[in-house]
Amino acid sequence: MATRTDATTRREQILKEAARLFAERGFHGVGVDEIGAAVGISGPGLYRHFPGKDAMLAELLVGISGQLLTGAKRRLAEADGGSAETVLDSLIEGHIDFAIDDRPLITLHDRELDRLRDSDRKLVRQLQRQYVELWVEVVRENYPALTEPAARSAVHSVFGLLNSTPHLARPGSLPGRTATAALLHRMARGAFAAAGAGGAGA
């Protein structure tokens, strides 16, 4: 008899393979049978876990938005009492982990967000806004001369930089993970420093 943990693991496997296939070939280019084959079950067997591809896509995009926000809040709590610079470094590290390890989800968000039903798309946007505003507060603690709109623009720009990982090179041709993470971190800090150097009018 399958345990709850087994079911959770199988759902995670299905979502991981669905994300990979959707990113590679597009949402409409992948059939349920193909997703099932990737995890070793029949296509119809997927319906014991998800009502359809739309539900998989929604869980992927809503899920990662929620995970980013939850992870950022956790990092803030863990860094409580630390310097503003340490907190910002921790946020950057968390987003880099996502940008390197979950590249298919970045591609999915860029290509397929509009396929979500309105309620799911609004939830994604709501979670993303909360995530951005959390960053804005931390960035302004590091660079007090930045206005709130300027800090928000800087945050979105850094996200664009970090989220470029699916487009940087062919799979396997990037530097090692540690080197890539360090490079992205330096670039993110450099971008924020450049924004901060512009002062309140930035």
Side-chain angles (χ1 to χ4, degrees):
M1 179 177 179
T3 66
R4 182 170 180 176
T5 299
D6 292 336
T8 300
T9 300
R10 179 50 60 90
R11 281 179 65 86
E12 291 171 351
Q13 291 173 341
I14 292 169
L15 287 172
K16 180 178 179 180
E17 291 304 317
R20 179 182 65 82
L21 291 168
F22 291 159
E24 289 177 357
R25 293 159 49 191
F27 180 75
H28 287 305
V30 178
V32 171
D33 289 342
E34 294 168 278
I35 299 172
V39 294
I41 62 177
S42 67
L46 288 180
Y47 293 112
R48 291 196 297 270
H49 302 277
F50 298 95
K53 290 197 306 176
D54 290 341
M56 294 180 208
L57 182 63
E59 186 158 334
L60 284 165
L61 295 182
V62 173
I64 192 57
S65 297
Q67 289 168 33
L68 283 170
L69 178 59
T70 299
K73 288 179 177 178
R74 185 185 68 248
R75 285 174 175 273
L76 286 182
E78 291 171 350
D80 187 32
S83 68
E85 185 174 0
T86 298
V87 175
L88 180 57
D89 280 334
S90 183
L91 287 181
I92 293 171
E93 288 166 6
H95 198 96
I96 287 173
D97 286 343
F98 159 68
I100 293 177
D101 298 334
D102 293 305
R103 283 183 280 174
L105 292 178
I106 297 174
T107 301
L108 272 189
H109 181 276
D110 290 345
R111 293 180 183 170
E112 313 289 358
L113 181 62
D114 287 344
R115 298 193 189 281
L116 295 184
R117 60 183 182 180
D118 288 345
S119 59
D120 288 328
R121 188 166 59 251
K122 287 177 181 177
L123 179 54
V124 169
R125 294 300 192 194
Q126 179 183 20
L127 292 167
Q128 290 175 338
R129 283 195 297 271
Q130 293 178 47
Y131 184 59
V132 168
E133 293 311 308
L134 186 152
W135 276 70
V136 167
E137 182 176 345
V138 173
V139 168
R140 294 192 72 201
E141 289 175 0
N142 280 266
Y143 304 101
L146 276 180
T147 63
E148 186 173 305
R152 190 172 295 110
S153 293
V155 168
H156 281 293
S157 296
V158 167
F159 287 172
L161 185 159
L162 299 180
N163 291 349
S164 68
T165 50
H167 315 292
L168 293 180
R170 298 186 307 277
S173 62
L174 286 172
R177 191 189 190 288
T178 300
T180 299
L183 174 61
L184 290 172
H185 198 118
R186 290 195 303 272
M187 293 174 69
R189 285 306 303 260
F192 283 131

PDB file of all heavy atoms in Angstrom, residues 1-7:
ATOM      1  N   MET A   1       0.847  -1.204   0.000  1.00  0.00           N
ATOM      2  CA  MET A   1       0.000   0.000   0.000  1.00  0.00           C
ATOM      3  C   MET A   1       0.881   1.253   0.000  1.00  0.00           C
ATOM      4  O   MET A   1       1.836   1.354   0.765  1.00  0.00           O
ATOM      5  CB  MET A   1      -0.904   0.006   1.237  1.00  0.00           C
ATOM      6  CG  MET A   1      -1.809   1.226   1.328  1.00  0.00           C
ATOM      7  SD  MET A   1      -2.904   1.110   2.768  1.00  0.00           S
ATOM      8  CE  MET A   1      -3.770   2.662   2.609  1.00  0.00           C
ATOM      9  N   ALA A   2       0.585   2.198  -0.869  1.00  0.00           N
ATOM     10  CA  ALA A   2       1.396   3.419  -0.946  1.00  0.00           C
ATOM     11  C   ALA A   2       1.174   4.277   0.287  1.00  0.00           C
ATOM     12  O   ALA A   2       0.048   4.435   0.755  1.00  0.00           O
ATOM     13  CB  ALA A   2       1.027   4.204  -2.207  1.00  0.00           C
ATOM     14  N   THR A   3       2.267   4.786   0.820  1.00  0.00           N
ATOM     15  CA  THR A   3       2.167   5.677   1.965  1.00  0.00           C
ATOM     16  C   THR A   3       1.976   7.094   1.493  1.00  0.00           C
ATOM     17  O   THR A   3       2.149   7.414   0.311  1.00  0.00           O
ATOM     18  CB  THR A   3       3.439   5.604   2.823  1.00  0.00           C
ATOM     19  OG1 THR A   3       4.535   6.133   2.061  1.00  0.00           O
ATOM     20  CG2 THR A   3       3.749   4.165   3.217  1.00  0.00           C
ATOM     21  N   ARG A   4       1.643   7.976   2.452  1.00  0.00           N
ATOM     22  CA  ARG A   4       1.477   9.376   2.098  1.00  0.00           C
ATOM     23  C   ARG A   4       2.781   9.959   1.586  1.00  0.00           C
ATOM     24  O   ARG A   4       2.801  10.761   0.649  1.00  0.00           O
ATOM     25  CB  ARG A   4       0.993  10.159   3.333  1.00  0.00           C
ATOM     26  CG  ARG A   4       0.745  11.623   3.044  1.00  0.00           C
ATOM     27  CD  ARG A   4       0.054  12.305   4.202  1.00  0.00           C
ATOM     28  NE  ARG A   4      -0.187  13.694   3.911  1.00  0.00           N
ATOM     29  CZ  ARG A   4      -0.847  14.509   4.730  1.00  0.00           C
ATOM     30  NH1 ARG A   4      -1.330  14.039   5.870  1.00  0.00           N
ATOM     31  NH2 ARG A   4      -1.032  15.773   4.417  1.00  0.00           N
ATOM     32  N   THR A   5       3.912   9.502   2.187  1.00  0.00           N
ATOM     33  CA  THR A   5       5.222   9.983   1.727  1.00  0.00           C
ATOM     34  C   THR A   5       5.478   9.541   0.301  1.00  0.00           C
ATOM     35  O   THR A   5       5.985  10.308  -0.528  1.00  0.00           O
ATOM     36  CB  THR A   5       6.332   9.450   2.649  1.00  0.00           C
ATOM     37  OG1 THR A   5       6.100   9.929   3.979  1.00  0.00           O
ATOM     38  CG2 THR A   5       7.700   9.933   2.176  1.00  0.00           C
ATOM     39  N   ASP A   6       5.123   8.289  -0.014  1.00  0.00           N
ATOM     40  CA  ASP A   6       5.292   7.801  -1.385  1.00  0.00           C
ATOM     41  C   ASP A   6       4.494   8.644  -2.370  1.00  0.00           C
ATOM     42  O   ASP A   6       4.977   8.998  -3.448  1.00  0.00           O
ATOM     43  CB  ASP A   6       4.825   6.346  -1.490  1.00  0.00           C
ATOM     44  CG  ASP A   6       5.734   5.391  -0.732  1.00  0.00           C
ATOM     45  OD1 ASP A   6       6.902   5.750  -0.529  1.00  0.00           O
ATOM     46  OD2 ASP A   6       5.269   4.310  -0.352  1.00  0.00           O
ATOM     47  N   ALA A   7       3.252   8.967  -1.985  1.00  0.00           N
ATOM     48  CA  ALA A   7       2.395   9.769  -2.862  1.00  0.00           C
ATOM     49  C   ALA A   7       2.976  11.152  -3.064  1.00  0.00           C
ATOM     50  O   ALA A   7       2.967  11.690  -4.173  1.00  0.00           O
ATOM     51  CB  ALA A   7       0.990   9.856  -2.265  1.00  0.00           C
TER      52      ALA A   7
END
